[in-house]
Amino acid sequence: MEFRIERSALTEAVSWAARVLPVRSPVPVLGGLLLDTESGRTDEGGDGSGAGDGRLRISGLDYEASARIDVEAGILRPGKVLVMGRRLLDICKVLPDGPVECAVEGSRFTVSGDGARFGLSVLPLADHPALPALPQVRGAVDAELFAAAVADVAVAAGRDDTLPALTGIRLGLDGDTMTLAATDRYRYAVRTLPWKATAPGESADVLVSARRLTEIARSLGRSGLVSVALDAGSAGFEHAGMRTTVRLLEGRLPRHEKLFAMEGPSLAVVDRARLTEAVKRVSVVADGDSPVQMTFSRADASVTLRAGYEDDVASQRLPATLEGDEELTVAFNPAYLADALASFTGPALRLQLLGAGQRALITDGAGTGTHRHLLMSVRPQLV
């Protein structure tokens, strides 16, 4: 094997594939990246190098996920090699800018560019597991919308690995609508977006690791369509020469429909940017489990935020409208509230409030319902 490629292209491809490699594994070959080259036409004039236009495919996997990426490269000798992925990434990061030459020389894989030269031990190809096949493609979704939707709901996913289902994001497909949802029992985020199904009436309801899905959505690019593939045990995503699979989580999230059905709530509307900034400001004194308290006043058309205890306190008053009560006080975990507010982008927010210690539903100011975030209010404390 021998090929030539720009350092930036090699570094980007190796970095993308290496993200699925286990940090520690009792099976050394799972720390390897498989580099597979395939030549195209031969350069019969050009620069006289003899390099052919071709493809470099880099792939890696662990027991939970796999990644594969294709990039263009000048192929001198096609072939395959398996090398330690994170070591190769470290080398790529320190190589000089410009073209890089890579080759297998005996039991060593060499990487050189602009006078710098590195050698890596070659791992046994026969011991490396085969990359899992992509499941059945169910349709496609806009890459930018998908990445934004995953980020919106991932903040509500649990972090406790003893409750694995709560660390996942529900991916639901129903006709031309995709639903993403996550909850840690104290908050629940839901986002719907359009997608293009391969067949009419396409439906699915699966659970994907929030951490894995966030990495995938971020890495697939911000333009074009992402193909979504599903089977009974795994989900797959493909975009612009990148393909990745991830094992599904077992279990189901609690259904959100009844939780989001608010009977007779008070309705508050407030400027999103100003509320976000105010929560950040008063939270400076909200130590430990100290909540941020919000008192809405219909007569004053305002909301007053308070946080802290005794002499260490903060407050800020903002314009807000309230319908349904003359005055209403609720309180929230400041980190949960900040996460919820940061997931919205519109100019205003609508808060449907049932009262202290009860549910509160946040949507955009237009009340479109494509993005909803449910928070449990805590009991207000004297400030």
Side-chain angles (χ1 to χ4, degrees):
M1 166 198 269
E2 187 174 359
F3 63 90
R4 292 174 180 165
I5 189 172
E6 284 293 317
R7 184 201 71 88
S8 58
L10 180 63
T11 302
E12 184 176 340
V14 169
S15 177
W16 192 84
R19 65 190 171 79
V20 301
L21 299 180
V23 177
R24 299 179 185 85
S25 173
V27 185
V29 292
L30 288 182
L33 283 180
L34 179 63
L35 279 64
D36 185 358
T37 56
E38 186 177 284
S39 61
R41 67 175 180 81
T42 300
D43 183 357
E44 297 178 348
D47 60 4
S49 65
D53 293 336
R55 181 210 66 203
L56 168 64
R57 173 170 290 173
I58 304 176
S59 57
L61 75 163
D62 68 4
Y63 292 117
E64 300 297 329
S66 73
R68 192 191 83 184
I69 183 169
D70 292 350
V71 292
E72 294 181 356
I75 309 303
L76 286 83
R77 288 185 289 119
K80 296 181 180 181
V81 66
L82 183 68
V83 296
M84 293 303 296
R86 298 190 186 280
R87 178 61 58 85
L88 178 59
L89 179 58
D90 290 341
I91 289 171
C92 290
K93 289 178 178 179
V94 299
L95 281 168
D97 288 333
V100 174
E101 296 187 4
C102 302
V104 175
E105 299 176 1
S107 61
R108 177 181 295 170
F109 179 69
T110 63
V111 183
S112 58
D114 195 22
R117 182 178 174 87
F118 298 86
L120 277 174
S121 300
V122 172
L123 300 173
L125 277 169
D127 295 343
H128 196 247
L131 208 67
L134 190 73
Q136 177 187 353
V137 174
R138 301 295 190 93
V141 62
D142 180 87
E144 185 175 6
L145 282 178
F146 182 62
V150 170
D152 287 344
V153 302
V155 296
R159 309 292 190 269
D160 185 356
D161 290 332
T162 64
L163 299 170
L166 295 183
T167 66
I169 290 177
R170 176 191 170 224
L171 194 161
L173 305 177
D174 185 8
D176 58 0
T177 300
M178 173 184 287
T179 300
L180 299 172
T183 181
D184 62 1
R185 296 182 298 179
Y186 305 104
R187 46 190 172 164
Y188 205 136
V190 175
R191 175 78 187 268
T192 58
L193 63 159
W195 88 305
K196 298 180 180 179
T198 55
E202 192 72 64
S203 66
D205 192 345
V206 300
L207 199 58
V208 185
S209 162
R211 179 178 65 84
R212 294 284 192 184
L213 191 58
T214 299
E215 289 177 350
I216 291 168
R218 285 175 179 170
S219 68
L220 286 177
R222 296 288 180 171
S223 62
L225 294 177
V226 174
S227 295
V228 180
L230 295 171
D231 61 20
S234 63
F237 304 88
E238 188 170 26
H239 174 64
M242 297 175 282
R243 173 184 291 186
T244 185
T245 64
V246 59
R247 182 178 296 180
L248 299 177
L249 297 176
E250 295 183 358
R252 288 283 186 270
L253 295 185
R255 305 300 293 188
H256 66 269
E257 287 84 357
K258 289 185 178 180
L259 289 172
F260 282 38
M262 311 284 280
E263 295 184 9
S266 294
L267 175 63
V269 178
V270 63
D271 181 272
R272 179 195 58 82
R274 296 187 67 178
L275 180 59
T276 301
E277 189 63 29
V279 169
K280 185 186 303 183
R281 185 171 294 121
V282 302
S283 295
V284 169
V285 298
D287 295 329
D289 295 329
S290 172
V292 169
Q293 180 174 301
M294 304 170 67
T295 300
F296 292 89
S297 171
R298 185 174 184 178
D300 294 340
S302 68
V303 56
T304 301
L305 285 76
R306 297 183 176 90
Y309 297 114
E310 298 180 347
D311 293 330
D312 297 325
V313 295
S315 65
Q316 182 165 359
R317 188 176 180 218
L318 300 173
T321 62
L322 180 67
E323 298 177 8
D325 277 291
E326 289 300 320
E327 185 172 285
L328 182 64
T329 298
V330 290
F332 301 99
N333 176 300
Y336 292 175
L337 180 58
D339 284 344
L341 299 180
S343 68
F344 290 88
T345 57
L349 295 176
R350 292 162 56 97
L351 288 78
Q352 296 182 53
L353 307 168
L354 294 177
Q358 301 189 62
R359 291 166 291 151
L361 183 63
I362 305 174
T363 59
D364 61 52
T368 60
T370 58
H371 179 200
R372 295 171 289 170
H373 199 114
L374 189 78
L375 285 175
M376 286 304 299
S377 169
V378 299
R379 292 289 178 183
Q381 301 181 29
L382 294 177
V383 179

